[in-house]
Amino acid sequence: MDRQTQFRNHLAEGQVFKKDYIVLGTGILDGEPVSNAQIKIPLKTLNRHGLIAGATGTGKTKTLQVIAEQLSLKGIPSVLMDLKGDLSGLAQAGSVSDFILKRSETIGVSYDPQGLPVELMSISNEKGVRLKATVSEFGPVLISQILELNDTQRGVVALVFRYCDLNHLPLLDLKDFKRVLQFVVNEGKSDIEKEFGQVSAASVNTIMRKVIELEQQGADRFFGELSFDVQDFVRTKEGKGVVSIIRLTDIQSKPKVFSTFMLSLLSEIYETFPEQGDSDQPKLCLFIDEAHLVFSSASKDLLEKIEAIIKLIRSKGVGVYFCTQTPTDVPDNVLGQLGLKVQHALRAFTAKDRKAITKTAENYPDSPFYDTAEVLTSMGIGEALVTALNEKGIPTPLARTLVRAPITRMDILSSTEIDQLVASSDLVRKYNHDLDRDSAFEILERKMNQVESVQQKEIPKEVTRKSSSRTPKDESLLKELSKNTMVRQLGRTLFRELARGILGSFSGKRR
Ligand SMILES: Nc1ncnc2c1ncn2[C@@H]1O[C@H](COP(=O)(O)OP(=O)(O)O)[C@@H](O)[C@H]1O
Ligand SMILES: [Mg+2]
């Protein structure tokens, strides 16, 4: 038996799948792509998470694009965190070239260029569906973790939430939260001390300072209404999974906002998705490009929470995929949970690099066909060492893989194309309203001003009541929304209050 046949048999034995799968590419032996040696990833184990690693320019983002495409074609939606702004091309068909046709033929797949259903989203000022969440939905535990508070300060935050619950003061945005913090040590001081005991003004000051810090990183765009319903990630159009691209290019320099957002998203998915049980395919896959940004800025507490959620979210049928330069960017506890590993080339410039390569090689299954460490540094662009989990949860044979070309555009959309996409989005219509309904800030302001206006009757109310500056147009919009969305929204917030009680166990487990 020749070496190529041995190689094919070796791959085939390890990739016996009864259920559906996607084809990532074809195996490479002795530097040459081998025909009839396809590298497959079973849909059944895609909720077991994964890693796409490799040096800059080796093909990580294109691999991510290819996997998201193949999932979409199978009707599986995905969410992509796009930190470099290079994923929007998924909405348009790729262009045919001799190079790509030849590559597809070698791999044994047809090249059928097409645009896929894409939804652009943003947590800041980028064009697309605005993703938001209320402070109340975050809950005291998560807020405290994000602000990196100590136990005393956490106590104050818990008290603030409790006080607001009892007094029907909705905490929607950071403005509300700051206003209540102020209230607690000023106008409301004696009331609160009667009920909860003394509150340390120094703690409140620290919390306030940290909230302002978070605000300065741009998080104020993210807190508020209308909060995003994560079920809207799970959509199909004409049988194809919708690819939600969250554009985060302006967030790179604000890692804290990014990890905050990531954690809130994962918690929300965890808390609202039903248990999936044994299933033939994932419900949703989440891809995080430049994932080192999530981990490098996260506090120990936040990291532990991310690790815990990653472990638990599997049972909801959600797979999380990290895209980063070296596997060492990902904490060991997370790495140990990853089923799919796609390792593009690594470059060995320094002694530290070489150490990282040796360590990386050790984390892959042995192969009779490769010297893993040698292959790691010699692979070309668009090639990767791949191992997935088979349907029984056993790693598939390690294979140097020629990754197929994306069927969507490898380049980005033009600004006209982006405008068109955003204009035709029903989710944009659903979420992109400026909604500032009466919440803690307005209610407290009004209460205080009433006290004041009794004291100084000569000042007309209009001057002191900043909160009534809402224009009639806003009023009618509010009325319109209150018919459906707000009722639903209130329902969700209430549900969240309950969930917080129950899942408090989840969020508080580690203390
Ligand atoms: N699977 C592939 N098929 C065709 N070309 C590819 C593929 N992967 C990478 N390339 C080429 O390599 C370039 C760099 O890939 P990219 O995914 O952006 O790298 P990275 O994300 O690792 O920095 C792409 O612009 C493309 O020209
Ligand atoms: Mg990239």
Side-chain angles (χ1 to χ4, degrees):
M1 212 192 301
D2 67 13
R3 211 167 123 77
Q4 284 208 349
T5 312
Q6 279 174 7
F7 179 64
R8 283 192 193 100
N9 291 347
H10 172 72
L11 292 182
E13 272 166 33
Q15 299 189 104
V16 183
F17 305 141
K18 292 204 179 94
K19 312 278 184 187
D20 208 0
Y21 56 82
I22 60 175
V23 174
L24 188 63
T26 199
I28 299 175
L29 183 66
D30 305 325
E32 292 300 322
V34 177
S35 59
N36 294 317
Q38 284 184 341
I39 306 307
K40 302 164 187 165
I41 306 171
L43 300 185
K44 195 173 165 56
T45 57
L46 278 173
N47 66 333
R48 303 284 296 271
H49 310 319
L51 173 76
I52 302 170
T56 305
T58 52
K60 298 183 294 294
T61 305
K62 295 298 168 274
T63 296
L64 189 164
Q65 186 171 351
V66 163
I67 297 176
E69 283 174 353
Q70 295 302 313
L71 293 183
S72 175
L73 292 177
K74 298 282 182 192
I76 301 167
S78 55
V79 177
L80 318 187
M81 310 278 165
D82 189 3
L83 279 103
K84 285 198 169 160
D86 47 8
L87 289 166
S88 58
L90 274 148
Q92 294 286 339
S95 44
V96 186
S97 68
D98 287 347
F99 164 76
I100 282 179
L101 288 178
K102 184 160 177 293
R103 191 179 182 105
S104 304
E105 199 188 315
T106 310
I107 295 169
V109 292
S110 63
Y111 189 73
D112 178 18
Q114 57 180 298
L116 294 168
V118 163
E119 198 68 69
L120 298 176
M121 303 187 170
S122 163
I123 60 170
S124 50
N125 292 315
E126 301 249 19
K127 286 175 187 162
V129 180
R130 264 191 242 158
L131 298 181
K132 290 189 163 199
T134 66
V135 171
S136 168
E137 282 169 331
F138 257 68
V141 178
L142 213 58
I143 288 276
S144 299
Q145 276 174 344
I146 288 152
L147 296 176
E148 295 172 18
L149 303 181
N150 66 25
D151 283 349
T152 318
Q153 295 152 357
R154 279 165 194 257
V156 174
V157 171
L159 179 153
V160 163
F161 272 74
R162 184 84 189 114
Y163 182 82
C164 291
D165 277 359
L166 291 173
N167 292 282
H168 309 287
L169 297 171
L171 287 171
L172 303 183
D173 47 25
L174 292 178
K175 191 174 68 175
D176 291 326
F177 190 52
K178 287 192 303 185
R179 186 66 186 85
V180 182
L181 281 172
Q182 244 173 32
F183 177 81
V184 163
V185 283
N186 293 302
E187 313 98 316
K189 192 166 191 278
S190 58
D191 253 16
I192 282 171
E193 288 189 348
K194 253 180 247 150
E195 209 172 327
F196 298 97
Q198 206 172 351
V199 180
S200 141
S203 296
V204 171
N205 277 339
T206 311
I207 301 169
M208 189 69 103
R209 187 170 45 76
K210 293 195 170 184
V211 172
I212 292 169
E213 232 171 71
L214 191 67
E215 234 173 7
Q216 281 167 349
Q217 287 207 4
D220 52 329
R221 289 284 302 170
F222 172 59
F223 287 102
E225 287 188 307
L226 192 62
S227 59
F228 186 76
D229 182 350
V230 288
Q231 289 299 333
D232 281 334
F233 285 138
V234 191
R235 299 190 308 153
T236 53
K237 266 187 191 154
E238 291 160 13
K240 291 172 195 154
V242 171
V243 182
S244 299
I245 301 178
I246 307 182
R247 312 180 71 216
L248 296 161
T249 43
D250 49 357
I251 226 85
Q252 285 224 41
S253 53
K254 306 157 188 163
K256 205 164 187 177
V257 178
F258 183 43
S259 46
T260 302
F261 166 67
M262 269 298 305
L263 185 54
S264 78
L265 192 72
L266 290 172
S267 315
E268 182 73 8
I269 290 174
Y270 175 72
E271 286 172 17
T272 55
F273 280 25
E275 285 290 321
Q276 195 177 250
D278 194 34
S279 173
D280 289 345
Q281 63 176 59
K283 187 170 179 181
L284 180 71
C285 285
L286 227 121
F287 295 87
I288 306 163
D289 207 355
E290 308 291 326
H292 61 277
L293 288 175
V294 182
F295 300 113
S296 61
S297 70
S299 64
K300 190 166 163 284
D301 229 14
L302 209 60
L303 264 183
E304 281 182 356
K305 182 124 201 240
I306 293 176
E307 285 165 19
I309 294 193
I310 302 259
K311 190 175 283 169
L312 293 164
I313 211 168
R314 252 165 57 175
S315 65
K316 309 279 177 160
V318 179
V320 183
Y321 291 81
F322 300 99
C323 220
T324 192
Q325 297 203 358
T326 85
T328 48
D329 292 336
V330 180
D332 284 345
N333 282 340
V334 174
L335 265 189
Q337 299 183 39
L338 305 178
L340 174 68
K341 288 175 192 162
V342 180
Q343 177 67 60
H344 288 273
L346 287 171
R347 308 270 176 250
F349 295 120
T350 64
K352 195 169 158 242
D353 292 343
R354 280 189 289 278
K355 225 182 234 161
I357 287 165
T358 315
K359 192 175 165 216
T360 303
E362 282 166 4
N363 275 317
Y364 282 88
D366 278 337
S367 165
F369 294 93
Y370 310 116
D371 171 351
T372 306
E374 192 265 326
V375 173
L376 272 176
T377 51
S378 61
M379 280 184 293
I381 294 167
E383 294 179 9
L385 276 168
V386 178
T387 170
L389 290 181
N390 71 14
E391 288 168 355
K392 292 188 179 120
I394 301 164
T396 58
L398 186 67
R400 177 173 175 180
T401 305
L402 179 69
V403 179
R404 68 196 291 174
I407 55 167
T408 57
R409 190 191 289 174
M410 286 211 249
D411 205 352
I412 58 174
L413 298 188
S414 70
S415 61
T416 321
E417 285 169 327
I418 287 178
D419 288 343
Q420 279 166 357
L421 199 56
V422 171
S424 66
S425 158
D426 43 345
L427 287 188
V428 166
R429 274 188 288 281
K430 176 175 174 186
Y431 287 106
N432 292 19
H433 305 284
D434 269 320
L435 193 61
D436 188 7
R437 84 180 149 98
D438 256 17
S439 52
F441 181 86
E442 287 82 6
I443 298 170
L444 285 178
E445 286 289 284
R446 210 150 45 222
K447 212 160 134 189
M448 292 312 121
N449 288 329
Q450 269 161 14
V451 176
E452 245 170 65
S453 64
V454 172
Q455 288 164 346
Q456 348 172 337
K457 280 209 177 88
E458 62 278 12
I459 302 175
K461 255 188 183 161
E462 280 69 23
V463 179
T464 50
R465 277 186 51 182
K466 263 193 270 163
S467 61
S468 61
S469 61
R470 197 174 271 138
T471 66
K473 188 165 154 279
D474 287 335
E475 297 282 2
S476 68
L477 174 67
L478 262 181
K479 244 183 227 147
E480 180 60 32
L481 281 167
S482 67
K483 280 186 206 141
N484 39 55
T485 353
M486 245 169 67
V487 173
R488 191 191 61 91
Q489 188 73 12
L490 273 176
R492 280 186 71 213
T493 305
L494 259 183
F495 168 78
R496 197 55 24 79
E497 299 294 321
L498 288 172
R500 235 166 52 203
I502 302 160
L503 291 162
S505 54
F506 171 68
S507 15
K509 213 180 241 165
R510 303 191 160 259
R511 266 177 301 127

